[in-house]
Amino acid sequence: MTSISPTRPSLPLRGRSFRALVLAPEMPLGDWFANLDALLARSPTLFAERAVILDLAGMTPVPAPQPAADAPAPEAPAAPATSSEAQASPEVETSPEVPAASTPVAASAEAVPAEPMPPAVEAPEATAPTQAGPDIGAVLAELERRGIRIMGIERADPSWLVPGLPPLLAGGRPADATTVPVPPAPPVPAPEKRKPSSLVLESPVRSGQCIYHPEGDVTVMGSVASGAEILAGGSIHVYGTLRGRAIAGAGGNPRARIYCRRFQPELLGIDGLFRTADTTDPKLRDKPVQVWLESDALRMAPLD
């Protein structure tokens, strides 16, 4: 008889890559949260629908109290002297009027053997004071109150983590907060190079929308709302107010530029270099501005 065992169905696994933002709290936390609130006031949707990681390298643990170094060690109480020690002491002398053979002290010394001394008790070695980890739960609660949810924690001691906290992550590649270089893609031989095309949007780009056009320029006849995003292989032209995120030259075009009639962006990027709203010149706000790439840095100037 042949037995047929059912085969177990395979479990499909798929990988997905996201660009995460990293928050690194610093002491004192009150000042750090104040700066974070100021950033959120200028860019309310900066962390919306973004992967956020908490870096705890700047959170210094609180040291445990240490005993004073010059405190004297407690003295052990003196053990009572035995009868043999009392007789062996040079201070005890026999009276000259009584013979030594008839002295009862000498007779007891010969009859009672000397008791062995108890072994010395060594003092326990001083242990290093332990350190208490930072209150990660309080930091996560404050971030949650501001609408920021943490998906992972990095550069933290495993002893700081308790059940219920985000997982400890490792292997992330560090990047600068305002300038994030993107590694160039490996060259792929293309049979035919397609000519770039332009995309013209007659209506404004609403919050939550993402316009991706890798082949050429993107022109918006209206405004780009806060929380919206435009990614173009060429330049970006906004004939209204730019309040969202604009990333030009996404396919590796360093000559791409960004133009807008009113300058209020949350995030700007050209060919892999990015700048957030808090790093832009406040004098350019609400003015016609152009943004371009020069010497691995983003330049901004008003359109006269």
Side-chain angles (χ1 to χ4, degrees):
M1 180 180 295
T2 304
S3 61
I4 301 176
S5 58
T7 59
R8 180 177 299 176
S10 61
L11 179 65
L13 298 177
R14 294 182 299 173
R16 196 175 299 274
S17 176
F18 291 93
R19 176 170 294 171
L21 298 177
V22 179
L23 285 177
E26 297 178 354
M27 306 300 289
L29 288 177
D31 297 342
W32 185 82
F33 275 112
N35 295 334
L36 179 61
D37 292 336
L39 175 61
L40 293 176
R42 294 189 297 267
S43 301
T45 62
L46 179 60
F47 298 97
E49 299 181 2
R50 296 285 182 174
V52 184
I53 297 176
L54 189 64
D55 186 354
L56 296 182
M59 298 286 290
T60 305
V62 181
Q66 302 181 4
D70 54 352
E75 298 181 357
T82 59
S83 57
S84 58
E85 293 175 351
Q87 295 157 15
S89 176
E91 298 179 359
V92 180
E93 298 181 358
T94 305
S95 175
E97 299 178 357
V98 182
S102 60
T103 304
V105 177
S108 61
E110 295 177 359
V112 181
E115 297 180 359
M117 291 291 296
V121 179
E122 298 181 357
E125 297 181 357
T127 58
T130 59
Q131 292 184 343
D135 191 356
I136 307 177
V139 177
L140 294 176
E142 288 294 327
L143 294 176
E144 182 75 18
R145 191 169 61 85
R146 290 164 173 82
I148 303 175
R149 301 193 64 180
I150 302 299
M151 67 169 294
I153 298 175
E154 66 176 359
R155 296 205 291 181
D157 193 294
S159 61
W160 300 350
L161 304 181
V162 296
L165 294 181
L168 183 64
L169 303 179
R173 293 179 297 177
D176 186 74
T178 57
T179 303
V180 184
V182 177
V188 178
E192 182 180 358
K193 185 177 181 181
R194 295 189 298 176
K195 296 181 179 180
S197 60
S198 298
L199 175 64
V200 179
L201 302 176
E202 299 288 345
S203 59
V205 182
R206 298 186 301 272
S207 178
Q209 282 186 305
C210 180
I211 307 300
Y212 179 57
H213 184 65
E215 303 299 334
D217 299 349
V218 175
T219 302
V220 183
M221 303 306 297
S223 300
V224 179
S226 177
E229 187 174 85
I230 298 178
L231 291 93
S235 300
I236 297 176
H237 306 260
V238 180
Y239 287 92
T241 304
L242 174 58
R243 298 188 180 92
R245 299 181 285 268
I247 302 173
N253 184 4
R255 294 183 296 178
R257 295 199 176 199
I258 300 175
Y259 304 90
C260 67
R261 189 173 181 181
R262 293 186 63 188
F263 188 74
Q264 297 178 10
E266 294 178 351
L267 182 72
L268 298 173
I270 297 179
D271 191 23
L273 297 181
F274 298 87
R275 292 187 65 174
T276 55
D278 58 329
T279 61
T280 59
D281 189 358
K283 297 179 181 179
L284 300 177
R285 188 173 180 86
D286 293 333
K287 293 183 178 180
V289 174
Q290 64 169 330
V291 184
W292 72 96
L293 186 62
E294 181 181 338
S295 302
D296 294 333
L298 290 181
R299 307 294 183 183
M300 305 177 188
L303 288 171
D304 297 330

